[in-house]
Structures are given as C-alpha cells and as structure tokens.
Amino acid sequence: MFFCVQVYKDPSKGELPLLPEEHVQDSAKDVTYICPFIGPVRGSLSVTNYRLFFRCTDREPVFGLDLPLGVLSRVEKIGAATSRGDVSYGLACKDMRNLRFVHKEPEDSLKKSVFEVLMKFAFPVSNNMSLFAFEYKQVFPENGWKVYDPLAEYKRQGLPNESWRISKVNDHYELCDSYPAALVVPVTITDEELRRVSSFRAKGRIPVLSWIHPESQAAVVRASQPMVGQNGRRCKEDEKLLQAIMDANAQSHKMFIFDARPSVNAAANKMKGGGYESEDAYQNAELVFLDIHNIHVMRESLRKLKEVVYPNIEDSHWLSNLESTHWLEHIKLILAGALRIADKVESGKTSVVVHCSDGWDRTPQLTSLALIMLDSHYRTIRGFQILLEKEWLSFGHRFQQRVGHGDKNHTDADRSPIFLQFIDCVWQMTRQFPAAFEFNEYFLITILDHLYSCLFGTFLCNSEQQRLKEEVPKHTVSLWSFVNSQLEEFVNPLYVGYPSHVLFPTVGIRHLQLWVTYYIRWNPRMRPQEPVHQRYKELLAKRAELQKRVEELQREAANRTASSSSERAGSPTRSITPVQTFV
Amino acid sequence: MLSLGSVGAKSTKPSFVSYVTPEEIKLEKEPPKKLKHPDLLPGEVEFCSANPILKYTQDDLSQRGVFGTLFCTNFRITFISDEKSQEETTKTFKNKLYGENDIPLMFVDHIYGVYDEKRKLITGALVKNKYPSKIIIHCKDLRVFQFCLTYTKEEDAKKIFQGIAHHCLEEKSLKCVFAFSYTGTPSPEMQRKRETILFDSPEDWTQEMKRTKANCRLVTENENFELSQRLPKYFVIPSALGDLFSYQGKGFPIWCWSHYSGCALFKASLPPVTQEDGDFQKHFDIMINAVAHNYLYSAKTEDLSESLPTIQDIQQSYNKFKQFFLIENSTDFWLSDMKWFSSLESSGWLDIIRQCLQKAVEVVECLEKDNTNVLITEEEGTDLCCVISSLVQIMLDPYYRTLMGFQSLVQKEWVAGCHAFLDRCNHLHQKDKECYSPVFLLFLECVWQLVQQHSPAFQFSETYLTVLSDSVHMPVFSTFLFNSAHHRESVLKHQRQLSLPSTAFKTPFKKGFFKDETDSLKKMLRVKRLSRWMGSPDSTAAISREFYESWQQRPLDYHGLLLPCLDGPAVRVWMQRYLRWIPEVHILGGGSVAVMTKLMELLSQVQDLKRVLEQRDSSQAAKPDHRPYIQHRLLSFGSSGRLPSSFPFAYSRNRSFKPIIPTGLMQCLMLTDSLASQEDEASSFVSLV
C-alpha cells in the first residue's frame, strides 16, 4: 500500500517485487524496525538500487515497509554500538515520516553494514551514480512525454492571434535558460526588444503569457522581478511590453501587477538590485502585494508540521499546535492570492502580471492555481498534467534543487516544499468542489509520491533546457505514462465537469483542512476505512450493469418484434438486424 | 423546505419537522398583496409592527440594507421587505414554518441595542422609554439580524422595540409558548405511517425488550407517577429488583438497552457514593447486585458526574464556542479567522465532545468485549446519562442509525426518559441560568461526529441533524417543551384540546447508501467477539485505544459495531450547522451539496433503469407499475453546479458570483523570525545550519 507498482508479486511468498532493472544490493536478517505505532518489529531488510524493503512474517497480518530510496532525505547512525553490538539508524523521509532501525553490526568488520549500502544508493547524485529513473525501463501503453505539446496547448487557447505571437527568440535557451523554448508575447514587441527586456528582469525571465481568457482576452502573464535596484532603474522596452500586454486586451485600460511577496521583502530586494514596478514607470498598472512568504519560511513551516503530526498527535493541544505551524495560513495566503488574480481576470476582465523574485516558486503556485479556477480544462486528469508540464516544468520550477533528488545534503537551504504546497492548495479546492475535478485524491498523492521516488523522469532537473541536455525524455519514463495507462484508478466518480464554470474557493481558514490522508497517512489510526468513493464506484458499476441489461432486453424485444412482424408478413427478410438501432 | 411532520404517529403526538416537495410549497404561495402582512400560521396573532425598518444585509460592510416592515407576533419576529424578494420564490427548498426573515420567539438568544454607537445587551427589565437606533438579534440557530429603527416614527419604533424585548426576553409562563396557541392540524396524509416509537405505552417497551432479547422487568407502577414524578410513566428494571416502593426516593437502575450477549446497559440517578453514608452504600450495593444478576454476575459502574464535565461546564464552553459564529460583518470574520484554531481550542467544546464519545466507547467496550453489565450514574440521571447511553446504543445497534430508529432513540432516552428540555433549553427565559445547558445539542454534536466519519452507516444526513438541532427551539412542537413525562402530562391535561402536529420525519433527501436495514438485527448478531488482548488496567485511554485499533483492523461493517476515531484531527467542527449563515464561507457550486446532487442524479438514473427493466420483465406478464415515483427526482436540479454549500439553509443574496477576498490580509501573517527576510536566492544565502 505504500507504493503502487504494477509488477507486484505476492510478498508472502518471500519474493521481492522487483521492477525491471531493479537489483538487490544487500539484505540483512534480524533487523528491528522501531515502529512508533505498534512497537519494535523484527524482520529482514533488503536494499535494492531503487528501494528499501522490510518485512516481518511473524506478525498477523504480515508487516511490511516498501519505500523508494528517493524519499530519504537523511540516513544517520544514532549513538554508538551497544554492548550487544547493536547499532541504531535513523532515516528521515521527505514524505512526513521518520524510520528507525536497530541492527547488529556485522562481525566481519570488513563487510559493510546494510545501512552503509543504503546510504550509497539513497544518494546516487552525491556518489556520482545515476538516478534509478535512468535505469528503469518499464514500457507502458502510452508515452507520457507526449502529453504536453506547447504549441497544441497554445492553440487550444486560440493562440497565436492578432495580438499575441509565439516567439522563437528562446529556441536555444539563449534569452533565458530557465524558460521554455516557446514563448507567447505581444505581436507589437520584437525579439530584439525582448532581449533588452530580459536584461532588466531577474534571471532574464521576461513577462510572457500563461493563459488568455477565451472571451474577454484578458491575459495571465508571468515574469520575475524587475531589476529596479536602489536607483530606480527603468527599462523602456519593459514598459512598452507591459503596455502592449494591456493593449492586447481591449476590454480594459488598466492592468494589475501581482507581486507575490510581502511588500517589506519586495522593498528589501531593491538593495540587491531587484524590486518592483514603480507607479511612475508603469502608468495604468496597479501593483498589489500578496504577502506570501519565501521558501525558507515554508520549509520551516513544514518542519514544524511534521513535528506536530509525526509520530504522535497531542489530542488536547492539536488545534493550537496546528496553528503554530502556520501551514494552513500559508495555504490560505496562496489561495487568496490566486483568487484575487482569478477575480481580476474573470470579473474585472483585466490582464494581470504575476511575479515574485525569480518567478519560479510563488509565481507558478499562483498562476497555476488561478488557471485551475479559471479554466475547467485544467481540472481534468490530462489537463492537470498539461498544467504541471507547462507552468511548473517548462517554466523552470527548480525541482532538483527544491526536492534534492539523490542528494545527501539534507540541510541545503534551496530545498523547500513549494510544489507540495501547491498540490495541497489543489486538494483544498477538490474538497470544496467535490464534483469539479476529474481526478481523485489518490491522483494527487501519487504525484507527490513520485515527486520524491525518482522512478520517473518527470520531476528531474531544474528546467526544460537541462532536461533536454540530460535527454531525460529519451532515457526515462514519464510519470504520465504510468498514470495514463491505468486512468480508472485516478478518476473521481463524482466528476460532473461544469465546462464553463469558474471556481472561486473560500479561503477562510475555517474552510481549510489539514490534508490528513497525506500528512498523517502513516498513523494507522488516521487511516480511512472504506472510503465513500468506493461506494460511489459501486453505484457507477451498478448503473453500467443495469444499462447493459436494458440494452440487452431491448435488443431481444426488438428481435422478437422484428421476427414476429416478418413472420406475419411472410417474408424471410431476417438478414435485417435491428440490433444497430439500439447502440 | 421543512414542514410539519408528514408521517406522523397518533395525531395528538408532538413532532419534529420534515422536508416536503416543492410542489406543495407552490400551492401555498399566494399572489403578492399590496399591503404586506406576514402569512400567519393557524393560531398566530400579530402584536405590533413598524415601518420603515432597515434590515442590514449581513454580507456587506457598507451599511446597506433593505427597507421593510418589522412585525412581532406570538410566534415570531418577522421582517417583510418592501422590495419584491426574489429568493423566496426561487427557493427549491425552504422551511415550512419559518422563512429567512422570521425569528421564532424561542430562537432569540440575545438582543443588543445600539445607543449612540454604543452596544448594550438588552435585558427585559431595562426597557423604559428609550429605544436604541439599531437592534442586533443573535439567534439560537446562530443567525444574526440587524435592524435600524431610526427611519420609522418614534412611537412605532418604541412600540416594536418594547414588544420584541418583552416577548423575547421577559420570563414567561409555559402557557404563553406558541405551541399552546397553534391550531394547525396535521393533514390526514401526514398520518399515513407510524414508525417512530414514542415509548409512552407498555407495549412500546415490551416490544423493545423483545427486539433486544432483554431479560428485564417492565414497571407499570408509575403510571400515575406514584413512585416518582421524575421517572417515566413506564420503564424497565433488572428483574432481580424487588418491590420498587421500598426504594422510593433513592433511585434505581433503569434499563436502557441489551447487548446480544445478554449483558445490558442501565442508568440511574444516584448521588456519588460517600464512605460515611453506610445506608446509601447498602442501597448502592443492592442496586449493583441487581444489575449484576442480569447477566454473568458482573457489573461495572461509571459515575458520569465524576468523569465528565458538569452541565455548567458544558454551558460555559458552548457559550464561548458559539461566539465564533455570531458574525456581524466581514471584518469580524477575517479578524477571527486568524486565530481560528486556537480560539476553537480555548472554548473546549470539541474536547467535551471528544470526552463524551470517549466515555461512550469505554462503555461499549465493557459491553462488547467484556460482556459486562454497565450501570452509568449521575445525580439527576437525565443529562449525561442520556448522552452516553444514546451514543452507546448508536454505536452498537444499527437500528438506531436508521431514521426511525434514531427518532425512537430520542423518544426513549430523552423525551420519555425525562430529560429536562424546558430547563436545559431555557425556553422561558428564566433568570436563573444555573439549569440552562445545551446537553441535547451536545448529543447531536457527538452523533454528527459519527455521521461525518461513517456516513454510509447512517440513514439520515447531517442536514437532518442540523434541522433537528433547530427544532428544539421551535415552539410549534411540544416534543422538546417539557421537563419530564409527569410535567408533560400535568400541563397537557389542563389544556382543552390540543392539536399538536404529529411526529416524525419523512425520509429526507439523502443517501442511497444505507444498505437495507431489515436484516440489521441478524447482522448485528453476526458481529464476532473481539479477540482477547492484554492491557494494563490502569490507563483506560490506552486500552480503548487498543479497542479502537483492533476494531479498525477488522473489515468495515456498517451494520455492526461503529466506533469513532477520536484523535485530534478527526474531531471536527459541524460546519453546516455553524457556518451556514456566514456568506464569507459559502462555496457557490461546491460543498457537500454538490456531491449530493451528483448522487441523487446517479441514484435516480439507477432507479430509472431498474424501472425500465422491471417494465420490460412485466410487459411479458402485462403488469403495470403503480409504485410512486421516487422523491430523489426532485433534487435533480438543472443548475446543479450553482447551489451554494449552505443549501438548504441560506441562499446567496447575489447570484453574481463574486469571490470573497479576505480584507484583513495584510495583518495576516507577520513573521518576525529571520527566515522571513531571507532571500530565496541560495547563492546569496549563507547556510546557518
């Protein structure tokens, strides 16, 4: 249940359910897993080049742990060996749990402990090895790398059109190495002007279109901060570009610039050459700060949350402990920001520019959430995949840095749960609109599990350019290959669709919940029993079954009428099959 | 739309409320009159009125509102807008007895007057010649109304203010309650079925004993309340107990329910045992013995007044808790949103709910695992005893999770069981607040926790519970109006002829999930005994933790034992009840109503297909289908996506679909630690770790 693999063999037979190209590296008997919920469990431990596998057959039911090594953020020896030669190892995981094992030090001092082997394979990048994703060669019926085609997606939005063009200026990632090759910009701005804008925007991340409203033509545009600095630098081309974005939408003579940061932090950035758009330079544009904190605050908040939920929950102080983590307050601010953006675009019919500092953390959180609110396509399974591929992967959210795939440096200040936070926000929306999303909770959890697993290539590297350089699509399998080959697992049976509906979630903290089935899923007491969705599925199946029977009976009845009438008519025209009438 | 009970028992019986079809509503609608007066219920009398009164719209910070007339009748305060109200006519469902702008007098919790920008709590006595410019009414169902009196003539304003204050706040006699003036009669169609067992006859009790295979004795000696006025007319005791008259005034075990194993749950009103009182100790021993004789000679006692909060604690906690929902404007809302979780915790309300459920689980464990008779006691024996014994029965007996079973349980444990509704709900606005306590609401809260954790195990929905919690204060029904069976009888005897509406709910619009309960008893019997396990007897919490865990590991059976998860994140706020009037949290097109709509749709599709199939089958036998069309049809709204999450209670005023954006955003999260000022950029960041 911890990790879904297709080729799962029966573990009670003692076989390890190995994936293609997965090999056992070491195993040890008589390892004790100190389970915080059921106490010490003795069993055997195996380490492969992909996962850790622990099994205890003495218990009923059989106890097992099966986790990809990618979820490990830290492996360390706790304390020295005891008199009996026992050594304790602590494993800190990225998915909200810590594991602890006790193991006898091997008598032969030359032999490596299974945990030393584990350390090698858990952090392949630090050991100059490749991630398992590059070895995994499973073939799926569908190729997930084909899910996202930028031009097709822009075409769906009606682009290019008379106001917007698709520029090839970044074809070789020369303008901006963290942006995708295809960029949508106003027709009135030349590539040369774009190059000049890129020197004015942090990391060259110029304002480009993310989404356009099919009716009002109001656009959601993303960027990084302008390099205003203490002296208030200006850039003619940048001002022209923003004016052009405003002009592309005839409905409004105004525009909103959403700076995701708290205003204090935005101002502090001027010291380092960054900053925000001044009102003098950008007339008709209104600047709004969304007060979302930086990656370090978010990392700290999640650390506190883990402390509060794992392994034990203090029931009597649960609520104040939860409040002290600020996690849901951050979620509220992000959702509130996205809501304001969606409101300006939908109700105000104005175009918006969204940026933070570099435009690759808070910006994709905000734009992708706003897009989910505005465009029902992104609430389907495939649409959501396209959204992730587009707003997160192609626009260079630094997954490698933020997650630290295969990297043992667990204190790296670049790590931060930005993407997890986004998925949490999506989950909050699915809670509020249970019939508006085609995917279910399991889909979101699966995405998060494989964010860390390093089984698929989808979340590797920091940008589109790096992914091409490393030939990730060629050497690895896409997560979407896996997902789209078993879609029925991920479908929300309550999905209605509402094609034209804009969703405005409620962002009051009263309506936000901690995502118990993700953050507290390791606690067996919080495990959901039979989920209600199971019953929904039964209902759907029953309907299908009845539908089938009706059709059968109709067919039979029609056959009978046809045959009886033909008999009455006395003609042998039996070759006419009425079956087709009832398809 | 809520209506008078539709499927009633005997016609003189009291009642809850129920849902009826929209067609019925339409029939009642009259063409708009020029002079707007409220449509009075039978027996309702208008006292006074004032016009123009400005009613502030709650979802607006700017002091905008609607002009109209404010009325006070012997049943309610009502506001009728001068403008043609659109919502009223477009509503698919509504309460049949009171509308959006009606406040039944017993719903009034507090009235505040605003005098020169200062807010004062109005107590009946203070009202002299002065009247406030604005009155704010907090209702027991958590609605908040604000009326401005400055636009109307001075004497009218004075009159309506004094009228409202007098009728809502002054201590009054029971006879003034509207139920005694109400002359509405249940339509004959409403009396079609009798399903809720009222437990007011020996037969009802005999039947219940038979159903649970109880081996106890029915007591009829109290028929004329000769034993005690605090005891029900009929009740059941352990068979080992002899002549009851010899124990008069001392309290004895009353049977609640029998487990299939033979052991049973009893409750008693007993003061806590003290060492010195040898006489009482002797009596107590006899009682315990009698209980133990019931089965296997084992009995456990649990003094609830020792282990659970007092009714005053409950009252105080709820008072704190409800303040978080009596919200007058959006600034209030967003300010309180910031400290939401810690405020909730400080009220202690969720913790009280957890404690009650925890105690019930402990009792369940004794019955289910140890097969021990249990005697729960408290001083009165009609407050927490009712809470715990009802919860135990819901967890153990699937019958009580059906609609009729649940209503029968409320009758058995609460109404016939002599819970002092009149005092606890403070229906008469008595100054003595000591005996006021929302004990019954606490019980409903606990049931709601079970419903939200195991919704397929229940035939009724949370909407049912919400409506039920409102109906407690509905002065049309006498179900929750009296302190005891004796009280009920003595009051009703002097009443000439009372035609109170009849009881029971019609099946509400919910749930095709509840698997047939016909064989529930059989299934219940199939529940296997828990495997034996070890545990240190000193920590009960840890033991029931194990009890829960071993239950959790078994395959889920909605017809068997049902236990709640009581860990911190599992105990939640009853959002529907508490947030339904707050526009800031309404989700248009979302919430559980979206699920329900989809479900209704699926259900009716399945039903349709089944019907087609049956017609196909019967067409060969030429049997026409005369069964009534299923009700669920009615919920297949065309515009299903656009219902607000507060359905069927509050409707969004403006359908223009504007999002609600927090106003207090800036003050939201001021972080002072050093992390907040750090740069995202790692290159310029020196690691501190």
Side-chain angles (χ1 to χ4, degrees), chain A residues 37 61 203 225 263 265 269 272 289-291 293-297 299-300 304 312-313 315-323 326 328-330 332-333 336 339-340 343 347 357-358 360-362 402 411 413-414 431-435 493-496 498 500-514 516 520 523-527 529-530 532 535-536 538-540 542-543 546-547 549-550 553-554 556-557 560, chain B residues 324-325 327 332-334 336-345 350-351 354 454-456 513-515 544-546 548-549 551-554 556 558 563 565-570 572 575 579 582 584-592 594-595 598-599 601-603 605-606 609-610 612-613 616-617 620 640-642 645 657-662 665-666 668-671 673 675-682 684-685 687 689:
Chain A
F37 306 108
K203 308 277 189 307
Q225 65 179 340
S263 56
N265 298 38
N269 257 293
K272 301 182 186 100
F289 293 103
L290 295 176
D291 298 302
H293 285 278
N294 65 27
I295 60 166
H296 312 294
V297 172
R299 181 179 61 235
E300 180 61 12
K304 283 187 191 152
N312 293 311
I313 299 162
D315 289 341
S316 52
H317 295 108
W318 160 246
L319 292 171
S320 51
N321 284 345
L322 178 63
E323 187 172 274
H326 297 301
L328 286 174
E329 280 169 79
H330 295 311
K332 169 182 164 178
L333 282 168
L339 183 66
R340 294 174 79 164
D343 177 42
S347 323
S357 295
D358 292 321
W360 54 40
D361 291 312
R362 288 168 272 199
R402 297 291 175 252
T411 56
D414 270 329
R431 297 288 294 179
Q432 295 193 13
F433 301 96
L494 295 172
Y495 178 55
V496 178
Y498 315 133
S500 61
H501 285 198
V502 173
L503 303 184
F504 290 137
T506 296
V507 300
I509 225 146
R510 288 164 172 83
H511 255 318
L512 301 183
Q513 285 177 23
L514 185 74
V516 169
I520 322 188
N523 185 335
R525 294 170 58 76
M526 296 306 295
R527 197 191 65 210
Q529 294 193 293
E530 189 195 64
V532 180
R535 200 52 66 79
Y536 298 160
E538 282 170 28
L539 210 59
L540 277 168
K542 193 162 185 186
R543 186 182 61 168
L546 286 167
Q547 199 121 38
R549 265 202 71 197
V550 169
L553 281 167
Q554 281 177 337
E556 193 184 303
R560 206 172 295 161
Chain B
F324 309 137
F325 307 97
I327 284 173
D332 260 17
F333 177 84
W334 292 112
S336 59
D337 207 48
M338 279 177 236
K339 286 279 155 221
W340 171 242
F341 288 118
S342 47
S343 315
L344 263 190
E345 188 174 289
L350 291 181
D351 209 46
R354 180 185 290 116
H454 306 285
S455 80
F513 296 144
F514 195 82
K515 289 174 179 157
S544 34
R545 213 162 237 264
E546 274 186 62
Y548 175 79
E549 276 164 15
W551 169 79
Q552 199 195 19
Q553 274 165 24
R554 288 181 298 174
L556 188 59
Y558 288 124
L563 293 181
C565 176
L566 296 177
D567 290 56
R572 295 180 189 280
M575 305 278 259
L579 297 179
I582 304 173
E584 279 79 3
V585 290
H586 292 173
I587 312 164
L588 203 51
S592 57
V595 177
K598 172 73 182 171
L599 265 171
E601 211 181 283
L602 281 179
L603 206 69
Q605 277 176 16
V606 169
L609 288 172
K610 263 192 176 152
V612 172
L613 275 184
R616 280 273 161 203
D617 288 342
Q620 275 125 24
S640 52
R642 293 308 210 208
S645 58
F657 209 47
K658 280 281 284 178
I660 292 117
I661 290 165
L665 207 62
M666 302 305 276
C668 235
L669 192 53
M670 295 308 274
L671 291 176
D673 56 32
L675 285 178
S677 52
Q678 275 171 19
E679 260 304 286
D680 273 1
E681 194 59 49
S684 63
F685 171 71
S687 173
V689 201

Side-chain angles (χ1 to χ4, degrees), chain A residues 210-211 220 222 334 338 341 354 361-375 378-379 384 386-392 418-419 422-423 425-426 429 437:
Chain A
S210 262
W211 187 78
V220 177
R222 60 182 291 171
I334 295 166
I341 294 167
V354 185
D361 291 312
R362 288 168 272 199
T363 302
Q365 283 182 334
L366 290 166
T367 54
S368 45
L369 284 169
L371 262 47
I372 289 172
M373 293 174 196
L374 290 164
D375 189 340
Y378 299 125
R379 296 173 219 142
F384 190 73
I386 288 170
L387 183 75
L388 294 190
E389 287 283 348
K390 178 172 171 295
E391 287 301 301
W392 289 84
I418 299 300
F419 184 71
F422 159 70
I423 296 288
C425 291
V426 175
M429 284 186 66
F437 291 82

Side-chain angles (χ1 to χ4, degrees), chain B residues 497-524:
Chain B
Q497 193 218 344
L498 257 183
S499 22
L500 289 174
S502 57
T503 188
F505 286 77
K506 207 149 100 186
T507 315
F509 54 78
K510 174 166 183 189
K511 304 254 147 134
F513 296 144
F514 195 82
K515 289 174 179 157
D516 293 337
E517 62 268 3
T518 43
D519 55 347
S520 59
L521 203 63
K522 239 190 304 173
K523 286 215 174 146
M524 192 188 83

